[in-house]
Amino acid sequence: YQERAAYAYFMRRSLDLLSKGEDENKKKKHQADLKKILVCLMGNDSDEHVLKIARKLATATPSEIKVVFPLIVPRDLPLQAPLPQDEAAAAQALGSAQQVFEASGIQNTIQLERARDVPSALADALEEMSPTQVIIGLSSAPSAVDAELKQAKLILARVSAPLTFVRGPGIPGR
């Protein structure tokens, strides 16, 4: 009887170890299958559309989203100089983004990235994450077209990950 009990215990223990190993492998495979999306909010009229597109992508396949808000610090100030109005706007945008993704059950992190320009902020964020997709908003304001095109060129030159540029809603009737 003791031999049978020992054998049964050994078999149960072996099965427990087997299932733990399978769970670990499934967890690793699931993490490898996660689509990693870097979302760049710019504090302009495109942010809402950027979040909608990112949410659609993330609900289509298992995804992890990192939302970055580049806080551009003028060159005549130290990089860590306080910019209370800009920081408040960034915190509000990042908080809204986090609510959107959490309401949809999407794993996300938010980050305020201080830099001298948007391409540098994105490059810094990319060092921490190897995304499968980067989504960036561009303003639709007619007065911003030239600046947005220049910025898009600089981003294209600096970022090697797949990029999606999202333009804001524009002006009705145009």
Side-chain angles (χ1 to χ4, degrees):
Y1 174 77
Q2 287 179 344
E3 284 179 17
R4 267 193 214 159
Y7 179 74
Y9 171 78
F10 173 76
M11 291 303 291
R12 275 194 307 264
R13 179 80 177 126
S14 296
L15 289 173
D16 288 344
L17 292 174
L18 180 62
S19 67
K20 275 187 185 177
E22 288 175 359
D23 288 345
E24 297 278 327
N25 288 340
K26 283 182 183 177
K27 188 175 183 180
K28 284 180 186 175
K29 184 175 180 341
H30 176 70
Q31 294 225 335
D33 290 343
L34 275 180
K35 187 174 201 169
K36 294 181 180 180
I37 303 170
L38 179 66
V39 176
C40 182
L41 299 180
M42 302 297 290
N44 60 32
D45 60 340
S46 67
D47 285 355
E48 187 178 327
H49 295 287
V50 167
L51 292 175
K52 284 180 185 177
I53 289 171
R55 188 179 67 212
K56 283 181 184 178
L57 283 173
T59 53
T61 58
S63 301
E64 171 188 345
I65 291 185
K66 180 176 183 177
V67 183
V68 174
F69 191 103
L71 183 66
I72 307 308
V73 180
R75 294 194 184 279
D76 60 337
L77 295 174
L79 201 53
Q80 296 303 319
L83 301 168
Q85 288 179 325
D86 295 339
E87 290 169 4
Q92 183 178 8
L94 290 169
S96 296
Q98 193 167 37
Q99 286 177 350
V100 165
F101 295 125
E102 285 179 357
S104 300
I106 299 168
Q107 180 181 345
N108 70 90
T109 57
I110 59 172
Q111 180 177 335
L112 177 66
E113 190 70 51
R114 291 174 161 272
R116 299 295 180 190
D117 55 37
V118 174
S120 298
L122 285 172
D124 292 344
L126 288 169
E127 286 179 10
E128 300 168 16
M129 176 190 201
S130 297
T132 52
Q133 185 69 46
V134 179
I135 305 172
I136 304 166
L138 299 175
S139 176
S140 64
S143 60
V145 171
D146 290 336
E148 295 291 340
L149 286 173
K150 181 179 177 185
Q151 184 159 279
K153 279 182 165 180
L154 293 171
I155 291 169
L156 286 167
R158 243 3 244 270
V159 176
S160 60
L163 293 165
T164 300
F165 289 99
V166 179
R167 188 171 180 194
I171 300 169
R174 284 196 176 183

